Amino acid sequence: MVACQVAICYNGLSYRVIDTLVTTLTTDDDMSARAPTMRDVAAIAGVSIKTVSRVINDEPGVSSELAERVQAAVKLLGYRHNSAASNLRRADGRTATIGLLLEDAANPLFSALHRAIEDVAWEHDTLVFAGSSDADPEREKKIVLALSSRRIDGIIVVPAIHDHSGLVYMQRLGRPIVFVDRLAALPDADSVTVDNRVGGSTAVAHLVAHGHRRIAFLGDLHSIWTAAERHLGYIEGLASAGIQLDPHLVYQDIRGSVAAEFATLDLLGSANPPTALFTAQNLITIGAIRALQRLELQHKVALVGFDDLELMDLLDPGVTVIAQNAAKLGRTAAELLFARLGGDRAPPQHVVVPTRLIARGSGEIRLSS
Amino acid sequence: MVACQVAICYNGLSYRVIDTLVTTLTTDDDMSARAPTMRDVAAIAGVSIKTVSRVINDEPGVSSELAERVQAAVKLLGYRHNSAASNLRRADGRTATIGLLLEDAANPLFSALHRAIEDVAWEHDTLVFAGSSDADPEREKKIVLALSSRRIDGIIVVPAIHDHSGLVYMQRLGRPIVFVDRLAALPDADSVTVDNRVGGSTAVAHLVAHGHRRIAFLGDLHSIWTAAERHLGYIEGLASAGIQLDPHLVYQDIRGSVAAEFATLDLLGSANPPTALFTAQNLITIGAIRALQRLELQHKVALVGFDDLELMDLLDPGVTVIAQNAAKLGRTAAELLFARLGGDRAPPQHVVVPTRLIARGSGEIRLSS
DNA sequence: TGATATTTTGACAACGTTGTCAGGAGTTGA
DNA sequence: TCAACTCCTGACAACGTTGTCAAAATATCA
């Protein structure tokens, strides 16, 4: 039994009272205190560590009297549970954390998706690690490695084009994976997307219904699944309307609004320009609108964009869009993940979240004959 | 020594080869495998656990021959480091994680801030837990508790109005705290804000320079520090111009774009309406523009907003704003935090990130006499 | 009152790492 | 050839919990 020379001494452990908290002395003179542990709580409450654990974890088999003493000690010490220690020893291996791998956390679609996932995780007392891959396979690989070393319970991924060895590893350890905004790239994984192809053909059908037949397509990298699907939707939409595809009206692999602006200027400056545009990604829509405004054609050339953005209703004309429901995408992905974590053994499923055409003016400009 | 009945047996531990990975058998028939540990790597490499640890952590004092054997075993097993075990035993208590407490992860300012912080953290091999408080003190408290139980290394906070006992606890354990977009609410904490007051007076000065003297203020909840500061800037701007404040032109405690739209309609429908508006928050700016468009006054009533948004340049007129640099706010906050984590003992500091007036048309509408 | 059953409590091992320290092997110099 | 020194390697304890299991205390019944 060590000799005690400070304010409080319990069973050989020394404590100093600071404000209303009792702080465990460290062995050196460093003023930062060691975090109180169950051992400290046990010492002050006069019970065993196991009894403290039972109280902290709300397990049965503790008398009321002892439970009250433990809770008083917890409050006195300001005890905080240590997740690392708990995770290391618990039988189910759960960490109450999930990973979320986005392209870019600042992107409006992904930040809305992130928030929806956080809200579902919150209901399951789970924290979210979020990371941005920038569609860079090396960065994504490293993020997945960092997440797997922390033994997260599961992961929701907007995958970049890359190998999935890191995700395979998690899956092998029984960690569920949900792909979002992309198809599942692994056999035993759920996925959630909007119906990009239907959205694409809806955009084309809408423009056709307003008299247009020379409809241009401006899309993102064709290697991105969503871009490829929207392109297919464009093709199917034309075919449904009996319109022959004009390759001069198809611009793919456009990255960013500046490239989109130039692509639009190029299109509209050609010999037989389109009378309508389908801009299959937000930044492309922005660039196209800049080009239309520059040419003062925003009231003459029709435009339907893919996905919505704040203020699009305030533009002149308002922008007609195929809107994605980011919150529902995120919520559905999270619910699928937590269903798996809850024991769901059903075959993997692919959930399609519908898009919605929002008519605001730009897509309702009729072809003038 | 246990009898081995499967493909590989090393020092009493049994393994089964699956694909190119060797998977440690579990004791039951469950097909999900136990994650390989250093013990398994040691068994296959024929070295001690400590030698494996030295190789994994790039510590000196291991011969090349043994290092190669360990690395081959790591690859064979697909070994992944266990952060919980490491964190529990390491002397410095570091977890290579930080917390980020925002109002709403989907908000464009905060998602841009989040991304900037993630990028700085990435350079420090650190993951980010992000949470949204919705400015709800109870939810914030619970998030802080969840973060502190995971022993995060530090935290960046956009605080709601609440008590800081949870943050005090982290600080007491030596975890640095940085407040962002708000002043520091604790003595030993750094903080980063934009200069809201200067931005406010700049907005007013700009409108005065274009002939306006009846300038309205529309602001968020006055209990939010940024809103209060922008209001003070408005008052100071008027005083600098020798303009007497008209209380009828001041609308505070506006929440959301719909409320802002009605407030603007109310203002403009009054007996002596303003000729210019200073809308001190983004959603308020959006609501005010809707009102102006509805009244067809968007070319007659001048407007300067606070903070920028995608597409504001494409509106007619383009929206003049006092823009915040969310990425710099986030980057600066993260750099302050990592400086503390790196041992910086300087007195706490408050960094002010300048705002920038972006003239696009709406703030340059001159008063017509 | 004593035997039996149930509840409460606590001892102890275990999780997977890291840090400390000791022992063995190899090298060098007298 | 031997002593001293340096390097490499490994044994073992420790971190703070949880899970298992046994002992002690309490309650019940004959």
Side-chain angles (χ1 to χ4, degrees):
Chain A
M1 165 77 81
V2 71
C4 298
Q5 300 163 333
V6 287
I8 304 176
C9 183
Y10 283 87
N11 299 327
L13 297 170
S14 303
Y15 301 89
R16 181 175 58 238
V17 181
I18 301 176
D19 301 324
T20 55
L21 286 176
V22 172
T23 304
T24 311
L25 279 174
T26 58
T27 49
D28 51 41
D29 290 326
D30 189 342
M31 270 324 195
S32 78
R34 173 175 69 74
T37 67
M38 286 184 179
R39 182 161 166 256
D40 303 308
V41 175
I44 289 186
V47 298
S48 75
I49 292 169
K50 183 59 197 172
T51 298
V52 174
S53 177
R54 288 193 177 101
V55 174
I56 293 296
N57 291 299
D58 231 354
E59 287 170 28
V62 183
S63 71
S64 298
E65 186 210 331
L66 290 191
E68 283 166 20
R69 273 160 52 189
V70 168
Q71 280 153 0
V74 164
K75 192 170 184 181
L76 183 73
L77 285 164
Y79 165 80
R80 294 296 174 83
H81 196 254
N82 186 322
S83 298
S86 177
N87 296 341
L88 191 57
R89 188 60 186 78
R90 57 184 300 145
D92 61 12
R94 290 295 171 86
T95 60
T97 60
I98 62 170
L100 171 58
L101 192 35
L102 305 166
E103 257 183 53
D104 177 7
N107 176 298
L109 176 78
F110 295 132
S111 65
L113 194 125
H114 177 189
R115 177 56 205 263
I117 289 166
E118 183 195 340
D119 283 345
V120 175
W122 186 251
E123 288 162 18
H124 291 86
D125 293 311
T126 296
L127 287 181
V128 182
F129 279 114
S132 303
S133 69
D134 281 331
D136 172 3
E138 278 310 304
R139 183 165 166 140
E140 173 172 310
K141 203 164 205 163
K142 286 176 178 172
I143 293 173
V144 170
L145 186 63
L147 291 172
S148 69
S149 83
R150 283 159 180 81
R151 304 295 191 263
I152 51 168
D153 294 339
I155 187 169
I156 296 172
V157 190
V158 181
I161 300 151
H162 69 314
D163 80 283
H164 295 288
S165 55
L167 297 178
V168 165
Y169 175 91
M170 289 191 184
Q171 210 172 38
R172 180 162 297 154
L173 292 183
R175 263 71 170 176
I177 302 168
V178 175
F179 290 85
V180 65
D181 200 41
R182 304 286 192 270
L183 288 183
L186 293 174
D188 284 313
D190 298 311
S191 53
V192 191
T193 65
V194 305
D195 200 337
N196 294 280
R197 195 182 301 197
V198 167
S201 61
T202 300
V204 172
H206 190 74
L207 292 167
V208 169
H210 289 81
H212 297 281
R213 296 184 70 83
R214 291 194 60 73
I215 302 162
F217 174 87
L218 296 94
D220 205 332
L221 302 180
H222 76 280
S223 54
I224 294 177
W225 180 78
T226 49
E229 285 288 291
R230 294 170 194 178
H231 179 231
L232 281 173
Y234 164 79
I235 293 171
E236 284 168 7
L238 291 179
S240 292
I243 298 169
Q244 191 163 355
L245 185 143
D246 181 350
H248 297 98
L249 297 184
V250 177
Y251 275 54
Q252 290 180 269
D253 300 315
I254 301 169
R255 275 251 121 175
S257 59
V258 172
E261 186 173 350
F262 283 107
T264 307
L265 291 171
D266 199 47
L267 263 167
L268 295 172
S270 63
N272 194 5
T275 60
L277 310 179
F278 170 36
T279 49
Q281 195 260 356
N282 252 350
L283 291 176
I284 295 171
T285 301
I286 293 169
I289 292 171
R290 285 205 173 96
L292 289 171
Q293 289 192 355
R294 186 188 286 193
L295 298 172
E296 294 185 350
L297 288 174
Q298 66 272 29
H299 290 108
K300 294 183 172 63
V301 176
L303 179 148
V304 175
F306 205 109
D307 211 16
D308 208 359
L309 205 61
E310 199 94 55
L311 297 190
M312 277 185 171
D313 60 319
L314 292 180
L315 291 176
D316 182 22
V319 189
T320 298
V321 297
I322 305 295
Q324 304 185 81
N325 189 335
K328 189 166 172 65
L329 266 179
R331 195 180 322 115
T332 305
E335 283 162 358
L336 284 170
L337 190 77
F338 283 103
R340 295 294 175 197
L341 288 171
D344 181 4
R345 292 285 178 271
Q349 57 174 313
H350 177 65
V351 177
V352 179
V353 172
T355 54
R356 182 165 72 95
L357 187 140
I358 306 179
R360 289 184 177 125
S362 74
E364 292 70 60
I365 296 167
R366 296 197 64 86
L367 175 65
S368 55
S369 50
Chain B
M1 167 76 83
V2 72
C4 299
Q5 301 161 333
V6 288
I8 303 175
C9 183
Y10 281 89
N11 299 328
L13 298 170
S14 304
Y15 301 89
R16 180 175 60 240
V17 181
I18 300 177
D19 301 325
T20 54
L21 287 176
V22 173
T23 304
T24 312
L25 279 174
T26 57
T27 49
D28 51 41
D29 290 325
D30 189 339
M31 269 327 194
S32 77
R34 172 175 69 78
T37 67
M38 286 184 179
R39 183 160 167 255
D40 303 307
V41 175
I44 289 186
V47 298
S48 74
I49 293 170
K50 183 58 197 172
T51 298
V52 174
S53 177
R54 287 193 177 99
V55 175
I56 294 294
N57 290 300
D58 232 354
E59 286 170 27
V62 183
S63 72
S64 299
E65 186 211 331
L66 289 191
E68 282 167 21
R69 273 160 53 189
V70 168
Q71 280 153 359
V74 165
K75 192 168 183 181
L76 183 74
L77 286 162
Y79 165 81
R80 296 295 176 83
H81 196 253
N82 186 322
S83 300
S86 176
N87 296 341
L88 191 56
R89 188 58 187 80
R90 58 185 298 143
D92 60 12
R94 290 293 174 87
T95 60
T97 60
I98 60 170
L100 172 57
L101 191 36
L102 304 166
E103 256 184 54
D104 177 8
N107 175 297
L109 177 77
F110 296 131
S111 65
L113 194 124
H114 176 190
R115 176 57 206 263
I117 289 165
E118 182 195 340
D119 284 345
V120 176
W122 186 250
E123 289 162 17
H124 291 85
D125 291 310
T126 297
L127 288 179
V128 182
F129 279 115
S132 302
S133 68
D134 282 330
D136 173 2
E138 278 309 303
R139 181 164 165 141
E140 173 171 309
K141 204 164 201 162
K142 284 174 177 172
I143 294 172
V144 169
L145 185 63
L147 291 172
S148 69
S149 82
R150 282 159 180 82
R151 304 295 190 264
I152 52 167
D153 293 339
I155 186 170
I156 297 173
V157 191
V158 182
I161 301 152
H162 68 315
D163 81 281
H164 296 290
S165 55
L167 297 178
V168 165
Y169 175 90
M170 289 191 183
Q171 211 173 37
R172 180 163 297 156
L173 293 184
R175 263 73 170 175
I177 301 168
V178 176
F179 290 84
V180 65
D181 199 43
R182 304 287 192 273
L183 287 183
L186 292 174
D188 284 314
D190 296 310
S191 54
V192 191
T193 65
V194 305
D195 199 337
N196 294 280
R197 194 182 300 197
V198 167
S201 61
T202 300
V204 170
H206 190 75
L207 292 166
V208 168
H210 290 82
H212 298 281
R213 295 186 68 84
R214 289 193 63 73
I215 302 163
F217 174 87
L218 294 94
D220 204 333
L221 302 180
H222 75 282
S223 56
I224 294 177
W225 180 77
T226 49
E229 285 289 291
R230 292 171 195 178
H231 180 233
L232 280 174
Y234 164 80
I235 293 171
E236 284 169 7
L238 291 179
S240 292
I243 297 169
Q244 191 162 356
L245 186 143
D246 182 350
H248 297 95
L249 297 183
V250 178
Y251 275 54
Q252 290 180 269
D253 300 315
I254 300 169
R255 273 251 124 174
S257 59
V258 173
E261 188 174 348
F262 283 106
T264 307
L265 291 171
D266 197 48
L267 262 169
L268 295 173
S270 63
N272 194 5
T275 61
L277 310 179
F278 170 37
T279 49
Q281 195 260 355
N282 249 353
L283 290 175
I284 294 170
T285 301
I286 292 169
I289 292 170
R290 285 205 174 96
L292 289 171
Q293 288 192 357
R294 183 188 288 192
L295 297 173
E296 293 184 353
L297 289 173
Q298 68 269 30
H299 291 108
K300 294 184 172 64
V301 175
L303 180 147
V304 176
F306 206 108
D307 212 15
D308 208 359
L309 204 61
E310 200 95 55
L311 299 190
M312 278 185 171
D313 61 318
L314 293 179
L315 290 176
D316 182 21
V319 188
T320 298
V321 298
I322 306 294
Q324 302 187 82
N325 189 336
K328 190 166 171 66
L329 266 180
R331 194 180 323 115
T332 305
E335 281 162 0
L336 284 171
L337 190 77
F338 283 103
R340 294 295 174 196
L341 288 171
D344 181 3
R345 292 287 177 269
Q349 55 175 316
H350 175 65
V351 178
V352 179
V353 173
T355 54
R356 184 166 67 99
L357 186 139
I358 305 178
R360 291 185 176 124
S362 73
E364 292 70 61
I365 295 168
R366 295 198 65 86
L367 174 66
S368 55
S369 50

